[in-house]
Amino acid sequence: MTKMLSQPQIDAYHRDGFLFPITAMTPSEAAGFRAELETFERRVGNKLPEADEKYRSRSYLLFDWAQRLVRHPAILDAVEDVIGQDILVYTATWFIKEPGTDAFTAWHQDATHFGLDPNHLHVTAWIALSDATTDSGCMQFLPRSIKDGQRAHSIGLRSSINAAGQFIRDSPDEQEITDCTLMPGQFSLHNTLLVHRSGANLSNDRRIGLGISYIPTSVRHVGSARVPAHLVRGEDRYGHFDLDPAPVGDFDNAAQEVHASSYRRWRDAYVRETERHQQQYLAAE
């Protein structure tokens, strides 16, 4: 029995590689989370796109309000409908575009540098805390592009808000593009192999979204070093990851130490997988 999604919605996700819009909360509740985020930014002394890179990721290890986002029942119910009841957060990243900036993302797949196996079970829930419109640079999806599997990527694209500046080497077929427009409090689901991008923010407000990487506990990481993850529903019967604890105190010393260590280990694994991907596809040429 499904918890959140109808069977036609589940079928559409598996066919197209994405599903939206799904409502998690009211616009006023989303505004409350946005206020918490902007208080966090004042606390670290800068907006997240310009702050220390570690603060863009894994904020659920620093604050109870971020815990409430990654554990939101509506989001987890929808995720459970597509990957099952035992759920880990592999990471979560703030994707923020300031108004009038040229930050964007080129066509890419999330799976490329994450090193997860099997990778097709990884689903991203992207939660909007401000309007995500075509003007503000919402995500754009290529329907059914998951069927082609992992594609070769290059890195180093300037102005990209992705950590490696990754982009698909061979231009995808753009005949059919879906704009993932969301209102504050809504979220989308997309498969890690879905080809997607987003444009610059031409609006007068910030485009604020949190992308949460959910995986079933059966998924493992292919790297030689163990990496951390965070259990948010069910139980972990596999032990593929070291489980990070939830924060006891907001942004206290203990939370900051856990966050710093977890981010460093995740980031090291990401860099290794970026290098492995480049070597793998260069060798194939």
Side-chain angles (χ1 to χ4, degrees), residues 3 15 46 68 74-75 111 122 128 135 138 141 167 195 213 228 234 251 259 267 273 283:
K3 287 181 172 291
R15 180 189 67 240
N46 218 334
R68 287 186 280 117
I75 299 170
H122 166 204
D135 282 346
C138 67
F141 299 146
F167 60 98
V195 175
S213 295
F251 212 62
H259 174 261
R267 179 65 178 166
E273 289 306 308

Side-chain angles (χ1 to χ4, degrees), residues 214-237:
Y214 290 106
I215 56 174
T217 56
S218 58
V219 166
R220 65 185 184 90
H221 191 271
V222 300
S224 56
R226 285 178 65 86
V227 292
H230 187 58
L231 185 67
V232 289
R233 177 167 286 186
E235 59 180 307
D236 179 11
R237 295 186 292 270

Side-chain angles (χ1 to χ4, degrees), residues 3-281:
K3 287 181 172 291
M4 179 74 177
L5 306 179
S6 67
Q7 191 59 51
Q9 286 178 308
I10 295 171
D11 293 342
Y13 169 81
H14 290 300
R15 180 189 67 240
D16 297 330
F18 62 84
L19 183 69
F20 76 94
I22 314 166
T23 299
M25 65 192 86
T26 65
S28 62
E29 289 172 320
F33 282 110
R34 175 174 177 167
E36 295 280 12
L37 167 68
E38 293 178 339
T39 297
F40 172 32
E41 290 180 312
R42 289 190 292 273
R43 196 163 188 175
V44 299
N46 218 334
K47 293 180 178 179
L48 290 194
E50 288 79 42
D52 188 319
E53 188 178 279
K54 68 183 179 182
Y55 292 128
R56 283 187 61 206
S57 298
R58 311 174 90 81
S59 51
Y60 53 86
L61 300 177
L62 290 171
F63 298 101
D64 176 71
W65 62 265
Q67 274 283 314
R68 287 186 280 117
L69 271 176
V70 300
R71 293 177 181 269
H72 196 288
I75 299 170
L76 288 181
D77 284 350
V79 169
E80 180 174 334
D81 284 340
V82 296
I83 66 170
Q85 64 184 0
D86 298 322
I87 303 171
L88 296 167
V89 173
Y90 181 59
T91 194
T93 303
W94 291 102
F95 292 101
I96 301 173
K97 297 177 184 175
E98 302 299 334
T101 62
D102 59 358
F104 76 107
T105 57
W107 290 121
H108 70 283
Q109 297 166 298
D110 293 343
T112 310
H113 302 139
F114 274 12
L116 298 173
D117 181 43
N119 59 14
H120 70 276
L121 296 179
H122 166 204
V123 56
T124 296
W126 201 98
I127 308 160
L129 296 188
S130 66
D131 286 320
T133 65
T134 53
D135 282 346
S136 68
C138 67
M139 288 188 293
Q140 295 180 307
F141 299 146
L142 292 184
R144 299 173 294 284
S145 53
I146 58 175
K147 65 182 176 60
D148 296 322
Q150 179 64 58
R151 305 188 189 197
H153 286 58
S154 292
I155 59 174
L157 198 62
R158 297 183 62 184
S159 298
S160 172
I161 62 174
N162 284 337
Q166 61 264 41
F167 60 98
I168 293 174
R169 294 186 186 182
D170 298 325
S171 298
D173 183 353
E174 298 183 13
Q175 289 186 358
E176 188 178 357
I177 297 174
T178 300
D179 294 322
C180 182
T181 56
L182 298 170
M183 296 173 56
Q186 293 181 329
F187 67 100
S188 61
L189 298 178
H190 70 264
N191 185 284
T192 193
L193 290 169
L194 181 74
V195 175
H196 61 290
R197 70 177 180 187
S198 67
N201 183 0
L202 305 179
S203 76
N204 295 319
D205 191 18
R206 312 177 77 189
R207 193 217 66 168
I208 304 173
L210 178 64
I212 309 172
S213 295
Y214 290 106
I215 56 174
T217 56
S218 58
V219 166
R220 65 185 184 90
H221 191 271
V222 300
S224 56
R226 285 178 65 86
V227 292
H230 187 58
L231 185 67
V232 289
R233 177 167 286 186
E235 59 180 307
D236 179 11
R237 295 186 292 270
Y238 295 90
H240 294 319
F241 298 88
D242 294 334
L243 300 183
D244 282 325
V248 175
D250 279 357
F251 212 62
D252 62 10
N253 289 337
Q256 291 189 59
E257 287 176 6
V258 168
H259 174 261
S261 173
S262 181
Y263 173 78
R264 183 178 64 254
R265 294 171 64 194
W266 173 83
R267 179 65 178 166
D268 287 348
Y270 183 88
V271 169
R272 287 192 296 271
E273 289 306 308
T274 301
E275 294 170 347
R276 186 175 70 86
H277 179 85
Q278 296 303 303
Q279 292 167 359
Q280 175 185 350
Y281 283 93

